[in-house]
């Protein structure tokens, strides 16, 4: 604790004296630098606050706007459906790799209601596990992907993964993804990248929207949203209900089974001004799901069960404007997740149902500062995180940990459109001591060609479940935690080039390599009875390249290509990491006839992939084709979606559950 306080004292002194010294050399801030700091990123719990305050900063700097418009401004290029934000990364800018931004219109066109919809982009791979569907980035295990909602961590990791299908995309303004070394500065759990779901901020006096959707397997959903402003107050209320029946498309393949579910989601958000310089933001959400008729196999045995889930999230933030070029913010976030599982084996002699309950709680408190001038941006913060879990599976019934942290990031805007970024994060963990996570990146901004290079170090502390979990499976095996585990350390490099020959075409290529030492894996330590134990056993390496290209073929047609080549291996054994295809490619063609309607074809191709750590089982490659059509009518927007057109029963290894149809009506009330 003493070392932690000394670091805070030293870096805090540097934090406040550096901007004061630099600001004394300036006459007046420019509006272009105000724009650089206008977007909060995943590490900040108040992602949209700066956008609301831009008017004050622009008023103070309107006379210099044209003079410095080329310095530190936000330049965005459309790369198909991937918007490359070259200048703005929010909390940490500029980025050594582009930030991928998926806007609300893309989500609506594709009928994407859950985070698993990111699978339509090649650099995101959805990995199925017994707890749902998890998101993998850069070929690394999903446990290295940090998922945020409005900058807030969410609780509820199962097998160290967040089930992306339990994160509804409601009232979403955009989804931002940062891959690689910039993301590692967010600390434990963000080695591969950060996914931040950002909800919309009301701008009009009062708006009300309604959406109803029906589809295959008796799927139906209803969504209602009410948002508005009244003076300095902004409010948002959103509610969604979704339901589906169970199905079994192909009796011999359990991968074609689908669960019946009923879930409901409620979100509230409120913000107001206290005087001219202080803003208060409150938000809360509740998610409930009942999942039943689960059918799966393990060692030839089938089971049925019920899975009840509850997730609640609360957030409070205060933002204080110190002056036109700096602000201080304080945030507190609480996320709680609980589930109850009842499992029964159905093809052997009578066995009593096995029940399992689990509760996870995450608390984050952070105090951060941001200041900028004509040629610099400095951001820093200090925080404390706590997590505890309560379950019969835990050896000590209840386990907890705390983590103190400090981060600082300094951006220097050099001459010739070049930028240099230096950052450092310091973490002090209750069980694993202190850890430093540095990062450095350089960006050369040319007229048509941009070059970027970056390096970052990150670590992931062993979770409470990895250390104290003991699960006695009804199938005859046991998984035990290991209190002696050590953190997983990652070193990631990225280098990229963007080329924009004209206003109709854009190309980007990004190469990456990430090495993880001390990877935690379940390893068999006894065969009779079968016992697995979590241990640090491996060195993993994931390297590859992502290529994106977009071209406006005519006034109405846009063609986009997005492909990723990845080699992800366990360097100790030489085995490939499971559920990581060497190639994933997405080709999309968008046709916009007018303001009335548009049509899109999206084709996805993936190579074969191993499904086991031992590389004894392999799943064949597969391709899919989706079609999306949206039409504006007097009754609202009508959207027709056909997924996986050519694979009715998911007979190979495609996305569940095979061919699906959806019809939606969205309208403003």
């Amino acid at each position: 604790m003493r070392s932690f306080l000394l670091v805070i004292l030293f870096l805090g002194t540097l934090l406040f004296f550096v901007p004061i010294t630099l600001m004394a050399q300036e006459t007046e801030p420019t509006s272009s630098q105000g724009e650089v700091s206008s977007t909060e990123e995943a590490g900040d719990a108040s992602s949209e606050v700066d956008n609301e305050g831009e008017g004050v900063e622009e008023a103070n700097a309107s006379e210099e706007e044209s003079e410095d418009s080329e310095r530190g401004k936000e330049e965005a290029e459309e790369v198909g459906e991937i918007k490359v934000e070259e200048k703005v990364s929010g909390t940490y800018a500029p980025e050594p790799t582009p930030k991928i931004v998926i806007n609300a219109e893309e989500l609506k066109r594709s009928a994407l209601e859950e985070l698993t919809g990111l699978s339509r982009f090649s650099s995101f791979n959805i990995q199925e596990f017994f707890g749902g569907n998890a998101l993998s980035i850069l070929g690394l295990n999903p446990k290295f992907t940090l998922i945020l909602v409005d900058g807030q961590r969410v609780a509820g990791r199962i097998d160290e993964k967040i089930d992306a299908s339990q994160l509804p995309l409601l009232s979403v303004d955009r989804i931002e993804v940062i891959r690689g070394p910039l993301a590692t500065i967010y600390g434990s759990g963000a080695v591969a990248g950060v996914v931040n779901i950002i909800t919309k901020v009301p701008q009009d006096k009062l708006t009300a929207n309604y959406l109803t959707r029906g589809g295959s397997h008796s799927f139906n959903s209803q969504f209602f949203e009410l948002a508005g402003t009244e003076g300095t107050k902004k409010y948002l209320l959103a509610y969604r209900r979704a339901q589906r029946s169970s199905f079994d498309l192909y009796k011999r393949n359990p991968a074609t089974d689908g669960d019946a579910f009923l879930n409901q989601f409620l979100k509230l958000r409120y913000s107001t001004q206290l005087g001219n310089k202080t803003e208060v933001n409150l938000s809360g959400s509740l998610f409930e799901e009942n999942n039943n008729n689960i059918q799966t196999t393990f060692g030839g045995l089938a089971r049925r069960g019920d899975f009840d889930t509850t997730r609640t999230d609360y957030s409070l933030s205060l933002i204080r404007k110190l002056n036109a070029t700096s602000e201080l913010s304080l945030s507190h976030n609480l996320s709680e997740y609980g589930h109850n599982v009842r499992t029964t084996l159905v093809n052997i002699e009578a066995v009593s149902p096995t029940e399992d309950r689990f509760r996870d709680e995450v608390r984050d408190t952070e105090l951060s500062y941001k200041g900028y001038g004509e040629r610099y941006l400095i951001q820093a913060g200090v925080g404390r995180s706590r997590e505890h879990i309560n379950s019969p599976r835990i050896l000590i019934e209840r386990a907890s940990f705390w983590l103190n942290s400090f981060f600082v990031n300094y951006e220097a805007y050099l001459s010739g459109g070049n930028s240099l970024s230096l950052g450092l994060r310091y973490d002090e963990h209750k069980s694993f001591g202190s850890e430093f996570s540095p990062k450095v990146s350089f960006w050369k901004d040319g007229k048509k060609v941009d070059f970027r290079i970056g390096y970052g170090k990150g670590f992931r502390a062993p979770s409470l479940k990895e250390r104290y979990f003991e699960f006695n499976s009804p199938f005859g095996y046991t998984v035990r935690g290991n209190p002696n585990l050590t953190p997983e350390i990652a070193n990631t490099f990225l280098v990229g080039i963007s080329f924009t020959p004209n206003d109709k075409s854009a190309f980007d290529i990004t190469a990456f390599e990430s090495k993880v030492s001390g990877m935690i894996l379940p390893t068999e330590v006894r065969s009779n009875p079968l016992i697995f134990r979590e241990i640090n056993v491996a060195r993993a390496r994931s390297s590859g390249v992502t290529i994106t290209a977009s071209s406006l073929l005519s006034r109405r047609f846009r063609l986009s290509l997005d492909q990723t080549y990845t080699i992800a291996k366990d360097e100790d054994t030489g085995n490939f990491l499971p559920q990581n295809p060497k190639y994933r490619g997405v080709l999309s063609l968008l046709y916009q006839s007018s303001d009335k309607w548009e049509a899109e074809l999206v084709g996805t191709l993936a190579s074969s992939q191993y499904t086991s750590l031992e590389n004894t089982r392999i799943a064949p490659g597969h391709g899919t084709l989706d079609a999306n059509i949206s039409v504006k009518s007097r009754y609202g927007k009508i959207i027709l979606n056909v997924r996986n057109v050519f694979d009715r029963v998911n007979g190979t290894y495609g996305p569940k559950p095979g061919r699906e149809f959806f019809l939606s009506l969205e309208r403003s009330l």
Side-chain angles (χ1 to χ4, degrees), residues 67-78:
E67 177 182 350
D68 295 289
S69 60
E70 295 302 320
R71 183 184 300 114
K73 67 181 180 179
E74 179 178 342
E75 298 174 351
E77 299 173 314
E78 284 287 339

Side-chain angles (χ1 to χ4, degrees), residues 90-120:
T91 304
Y92 307 106
E95 301 173 8
T97 183
K99 176 174 60 182
I100 298 175
V101 180
I102 300 98
N103 60 45
E105 288 304 315
E106 298 167 30
L107 299 175
K108 292 178 181 178
R109 183 196 307 140
S110 306
L112 301 179
E113 296 190 17
E114 300 163 349
L115 195 59
T116 52
L118 288 182
S119 61
R120 65 175 291 165

Side-chain angles (χ1 to χ4, degrees), residues 96-280:
T97 183
K99 176 174 60 182
I100 298 175
V101 180
I102 300 98
N103 60 45
E105 288 304 315
E106 298 167 30
L107 299 175
K108 292 178 181 178
R109 183 196 307 140
S110 306
L112 301 179
E113 296 190 17
E114 300 163 349
L115 195 59
T116 52
L118 288 182
S119 61
R120 65 175 291 165
F121 300 99
S122 72
S123 54
F124 310 126
N125 185 34
I126 300 298
Q127 295 189 1
E128 297 181 16
F129 69 109
F130 66 86
N133 299 279
L135 186 63
S136 169
I137 301 177
L138 301 184
L140 294 175
N141 191 294
K143 66 182 178 180
F144 296 116
T145 299
L146 179 63
I147 298 178
L148 309 168
V149 178
D150 291 327
Q152 176 184 349
R153 284 195 304 154
V154 293
R157 289 182 174 268
I158 303 174
D159 193 29
E160 307 316 311
K161 308 174 183 70
I162 292 289
D163 181 9
S165 61
Q166 291 186 357
L167 294 174
L169 300 178
L170 298 182
S171 301
V172 172
D173 178 71
R174 64 192 184 277
I175 300 175
E176 298 181 349
V177 182
I178 309 177
R179 301 169 295 173
L182 187 67
T184 61
I185 203 168
Y186 290 104
S188 183
V191 170
V194 172
V195 178
N196 190 22
I197 304 171
I198 300 174
T199 56
K200 65 176 65 173
V201 176
Q203 301 297 334
D204 300 324
K205 279 192 173 182
L206 179 65
T207 60
N209 300 294
Y210 175 74
L211 184 145
T212 182
R213 176 172 291 139
S216 303
H217 313 298
S218 302
F219 174 84
N220 66 88
S221 67
Q222 298 80 38
F223 167 64
F224 175 76
E225 175 187 84
L226 182 68
T229 62
E230 183 180 346
T232 60
K233 301 178 176 128
K234 300 177 184 292
Y235 53 88
L236 170 72
L237 183 150
Y239 172 77
R240 174 189 184 248
R241 181 183 185 277
Q243 187 173 13
R244 189 185 71 185
S245 301
S246 61
F247 57 87
D248 187 1
L249 297 176
Y250 188 52
K251 299 295 183 182
R252 297 182 179 180
N253 184 0
T256 64
D257 299 344
D259 309 335
F261 65 79
L262 169 64
N263 64 50
Q264 299 184 81
F265 183 83
L266 176 67
K267 185 173 184 65
L268 300 170
R269 185 169 182 173
Y270 176 81
S271 65
T272 186
Q273 293 279 346
L274 299 180
N276 296 326
K277 294 186 177 181
T278 304
E279 181 166 351
V280 181

Side-chain angles (χ1 to χ4, degrees), residues 538-578:
R539 293 176 300 138
R541 182 177 68 176
S542 175
S543 57
V545 60
T546 294
I547 302 171
T548 60
S550 175
S551 179
L552 189 63
L553 303 179
S554 67
R555 189 166 59 92
R556 302 189 186 279
F557 282 96
R558 175 174 289 278
L559 182 67
S560 302
L561 176 66
D562 177 7
Q563 50 190 335
T564 299
Y565 302 85
T566 306
I567 299 294
K569 301 183 70 174
D570 179 337
E571 290 192 299
D572 288 347
T573 63
N575 292 338
F576 290 94
L577 298 182

Side-chain angles (χ1 to χ4, degrees), residues 13-24:
T13 304
L14 177 66
L15 166 67
F16 285 99
F17 276 100
V18 169
I20 291 174
T21 304
L22 293 176
M23 289 170 63

